[in-house]
Amino acid sequence: MNEFSIVCRILGTLFNRQPQDPILKPLLTMIVEGKLKQSWPLEQDALLDRLQQNCDLSAMQADYVALFYGDDASVPSRRSDYIGESENDIRQFLIERGMPLSDGPVDQFGSLLLSASWLEDQAAEDEVQGQIELFDEYLLPWCGQFLGKVEAHATTGFYRTLAMITREALQALREELDS
């Protein structure tokens, strides 16, 4: 896995899973211990310090549920909630590239970041164009609205900071695709 894939995978997982999910425990431990900062490929040390300082698991869990979980979620996490288009085009795009998909929604913010990681890991030589298309067509047009809502509605510094880290990371990752 390269740096592009790692950043997408970490951010996608943090948005896709509740803080008390056992899968997140090693990642959250790295954040708490400051070890993520040591291996983070982007220049975001101050934000990673803020993330580390705001790792209160019970507060994060309550915030995650209020932000993203269920019909009462304050921040819709699916592209179709912002763009108004069904997820069928994203599903077809990923199927054409050989990505195995579950029956669940594929247009959630975290899922799209995980898809970008998968595309990078499975990339053929010409797949950079697929990654560019994923970013330009399916992620970037609505991520500003989504991340802005996360910042506005989050009650913990963890999710406000995660939104800032993600905004900067997406810009850097997209620039990397051009180079």
Side-chain angles (χ1 to χ4, degrees):
M1 244 186 290
N2 67 23
E3 292 174 347
F4 181 100
S5 179
I6 290 169
V7 170
C8 289
R9 186 171 304 241
I10 288 171
L11 296 175
T13 301
L14 288 170
F15 278 105
N16 233 27
R17 297 196 175 267
Q18 295 189 33
Q20 293 181 346
D21 187 319
I23 290 175
L24 272 186
K25 186 173 172 113
L27 177 56
L28 292 176
T29 299
M30 282 183 70
I31 293 170
V32 167
E33 294 175 354
K35 292 180 180 174
L36 180 62
K37 187 170 94 172
Q38 296 169 4
S39 57
W40 193 249
L42 303 173
E43 296 295 325
Q44 296 181 301
D45 287 355
L47 287 172
L48 292 170
D49 287 340
R50 281 178 56 188
L51 198 66
Q52 178 183 4
Q53 294 161 1
N54 288 286
C55 270
D56 174 340
L57 194 58
S58 61
M60 289 165 55
Q61 179 66 26
D63 202 15
Y64 184 92
V65 169
L67 287 168
F68 308 120
Y69 195 73
D71 295 333
D72 298 353
S74 57
V75 181
S77 62
R78 295 181 63 190
R79 175 182 176 262
S80 54
D81 294 319
Y82 295 86
I83 304 293
E85 297 174 4
S86 92
E87 69 172 11
N88 292 340
D89 54 340
I90 297 171
R91 184 172 291 282
Q92 187 59 39
F93 169 82
L94 295 171
I95 288 170
E96 287 171 4
R97 280 150 185 82
M99 185 172 174
L101 299 176
S102 66
D103 291 335
V106 295
D107 70 337
Q108 290 177 312
F109 186 75
S111 297
L112 289 171
L113 288 170
L114 292 169
S115 295
S117 174
W118 186 90
L119 284 174
E120 176 68 20
D121 293 344
Q122 307 300 318
E125 298 231 354
D126 62 345
E127 200 50 46
V128 170
Q129 190 56 43
Q131 293 169 289
I132 289 171
E133 187 176 343
L134 178 70
F135 267 68
D136 291 354
E137 298 294 322
Y138 303 118
L139 191 56
L140 295 179
W142 65 281
C143 74
Q145 287 178 283
F146 170 76
L147 294 170
K149 284 181 183 259
V150 172
E151 285 182 78
H153 292 278
T155 58
T156 62
F158 184 87
Y159 284 103
R160 281 191 302 276
T161 304
L162 181 61
M164 290 183 251
I165 288 170
T166 303
R167 183 178 283 114
E168 288 182 9
L170 288 175
Q171 182 178 355
L173 293 170
R174 180 58 184 89
E175 290 170 5
E176 182 180 318
L177 289 172
D178 279 337
S179 58

